[in-house]
């Protein structure tokens, strides 16, 4: 009877703590996936409340509840720097990998482990249940997958956070693989046994050969090198030279889209943003973007816009189209994914540059297909000089 009372007390505490964590998660701001994490909390709490209602509580209910893992994810999220996603899925080798937390603006993937440190070591030595993956297996899969989803042209850091600690030999082995290990380091009772049977201290020659080759291509430190090349999309070239961003934004046009853009321009001028971005950067334009832009200028560009276009082209370097790599190979055409945009962004990626664009639709559609673009997005502005002849001028005050 006393044991049941104590278990019910612990159960009530877990439910209370879970609800408190939900309340705190609702305050963290807009991070993709937080709602999913909250729903998982609510699902576990509903199950425990059912158990609480029946009064038939067992120790297993407290030990096996997924709240343990969910709380560990939430705790790590609360101290994460620049979190962007929670429980984000990635496709890899016809399978699906779920990253608990994407943070540092996208430069780090965090996997949260909420298991007993000794058990983790035993499983890694091959003493787990049949088919059970060890943290070493999971780490290798994370490292492989990260290569296919670069952030600023570097694979994200892979961080394994051990909420209940990790034994030293296992932590050392994971670090040799290229994983950043977080959590208390616990001395192992029988390090010799681990060395003999599991080679967890990295002494295995075969493992070292694999790990050394991985370290050459894996990102093992935060991205620090500034990207100094900007790849300008057609939409950016138009926004830079249009009359609208060069002092002629006080018009109501016959075209509703132009009128809307002029209103946006008056509230937030686009050219100062681009000028600041262009400072001390090399500007490149791929051949296709250059030809499309000059064709638009020739057809609907006004005299001032044509002059600005020539001046801008004197500042940029025209580069060959580079229709290779993951953007060309993995992005299917259709909807917002047009061939020209795909080629512009692919060239930018091959040049290891930041693509500057107003094509938000392409970037969103690419993300839906699992491709994160290295991009600086700005508001769109169309050529307007010729349209001013039929527009109504408004007060600039």
């Amino acid at each position: 009877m006393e044991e049941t009372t104590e278990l019910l007390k612990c159960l009530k505490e877990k439910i209370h703590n879970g609800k408190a964590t939900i309340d705190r998660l609702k305050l963290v701001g807009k991070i993709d996936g937080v709602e999913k994490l909250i729903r998982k909390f609510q699902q576990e709490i509903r199950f425990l409340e059912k158990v609480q209602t029946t009064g038939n509580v067992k120790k297993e209910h407290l030990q096996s509840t997924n709240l343990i893992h969910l709380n560990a994810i939430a705790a790590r999220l609360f101290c994460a720097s620049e979190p962007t996603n929670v429980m984000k899925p990635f496709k890899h080798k016809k399978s699906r990998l779920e990253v608990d937390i994407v943070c540092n603006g996208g430069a780090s993937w965090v996997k949260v482990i909420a298991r007993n440190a000794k058990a983790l070591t035993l499983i890694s030595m091959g003493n787990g249940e049949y088919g059970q993956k060890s943290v070493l297996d999971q780490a290798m899969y994370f490292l492989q997958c990260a290569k296919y989803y670069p952030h600023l042209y570097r694979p994200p850091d892979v961080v394994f956070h051990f909420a209940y600690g990790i034994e030293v030999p296992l932590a050392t082995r994971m670090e040799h693989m290229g994983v950043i290990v977080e959590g208390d380091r616990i001395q192992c009772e029988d390090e010799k046994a681990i060395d003999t049977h599991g080679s967890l201290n990295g002494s295995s020659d075969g493992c070292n050969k694999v790990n050394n080759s991985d370290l050459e291509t894996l990102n093992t430190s935060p991205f620090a090198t500034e990207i100094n090349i900007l790849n300008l999309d057609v939409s950016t070239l138009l926004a830079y030279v249009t009359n609208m961003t060069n002092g002629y934004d006080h018009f109501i046009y016959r075209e509703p889209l132009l009128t809307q853009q002029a209103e946006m321009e008056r509230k937030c001028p686009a050219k100062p943003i681009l000028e600041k971005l262009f400072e001390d950067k090399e500007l490149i334009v791929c051949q296709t973007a250059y030809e499309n832009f000059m064709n638009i200028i020739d057809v609907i560009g006004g005299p001032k816009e044509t002059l600005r276009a020539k001046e801008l082209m004197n500042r940029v370097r025209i580069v060959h189209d580079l229709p290779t790599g993951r953007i060309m190979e993995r992005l299917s055409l259709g909807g917002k994914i047009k061939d020209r945009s795909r080629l512009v962004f692919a060239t930018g990626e091959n040049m290891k540059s930041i693509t500057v664009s107003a094509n938000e639709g392409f970037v969103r559609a690419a993300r839906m297909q699992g491709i994160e673009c290295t991009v600086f997005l700005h508001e769109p502005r169309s050529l307007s000089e010729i349209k001013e002849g039929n527009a109504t001028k408004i007060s600039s005050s």
Side-chain angles (χ1 to χ4, degrees), residues 184-338:
D184 293 337
R185 305 294 174 104
I186 299 169
Q187 291 300 322
C188 181
E189 295 174 3
D190 191 3
E191 293 193 22
K192 287 183 180 179
I194 293 174
D195 181 32
T196 303
H197 298 104
S199 298
L200 289 181
N201 63 357
S203 62
S204 167
D205 290 337
C207 287
N208 274 340
K209 287 176 184 175
V210 174
N211 294 336
N212 287 340
S213 61
D214 272 341
L215 285 173
E216 291 174 5
T217 54
L218 282 171
N219 175 28
T220 55
S221 61
F223 183 84
T225 306
E226 186 181 1
I227 296 174
N228 289 312
I229 304 175
L230 301 180
N231 172 47
L232 308 186
D233 184 23
V234 175
S235 58
T236 299
L237 299 171
L238 294 171
Y240 192 85
V241 305
T242 173
N243 256 21
M244 191 183 296
T245 63
N246 286 275
Y248 299 88
D249 59 1
H250 292 84
F251 290 93
I252 295 175
Y253 302 89
R254 286 186 176 179
E255 298 79 9
L257 178 62
L258 284 179
T259 299
Q260 181 187 25
Q261 288 185 3
E263 290 174 1
M264 293 161 64
E265 176 65 18
R266 291 192 293 273
K267 290 177 184 174
C268 182
K271 192 161 183 178
I273 295 172
L274 294 176
E275 288 282 25
K276 186 175 181 182
L277 183 68
F278 291 177
E279 284 179 7
D280 303 320
K281 297 290 193 295
E282 180 184 2
L283 308 179
I284 64 171
V285 177
C286 73
Q287 188 68 36
T288 291
Y290 169 74
E291 290 172 2
N292 274 263
F293 171 62
M294 293 311 297
N295 183 54
I296 294 169
I297 290 291
D298 291 342
V299 175
I300 60 171
K304 295 187 186 74
E305 291 169 340
T306 301
L307 181 60
R308 290 188 204 104
K310 289 178 180 177
E311 291 172 347
L312 178 57
M313 288 302 104
N314 288 332
R315 291 178 58 187
V316 308
R317 176 164 63 99
I318 311 299
V319 300
H320 293 298
D321 296 338
L322 297 171
T324 59
R326 62 184 191 130
I327 286 178
M328 295 299 294
E329 294 163 7
R330 291 168 55 189
L331 280 187
S332 303
L333 293 174
K336 298 289 184 179
I337 307 293
K338 308 295 185 189

Side-chain angles (χ1 to χ4, degrees), residues 127-163:
N127 295 332
E129 296 176 9
Y130 178 75
Q132 188 175 17
K133 287 187 177 181
S134 71
V135 290
L136 296 174
D137 297 326
Q138 293 173 329
M140 185 58 71
Y141 194 70
F142 265 72
L143 292 168
Q144 290 171 352
C145 183
K147 293 179 184 178
Y148 291 91
Y149 295 92
H151 174 75
L152 299 178
Y153 309 114
R154 299 278 301 273
D157 287 331
V158 172
V159 182
F160 270 46
H161 176 81
F162 294 90

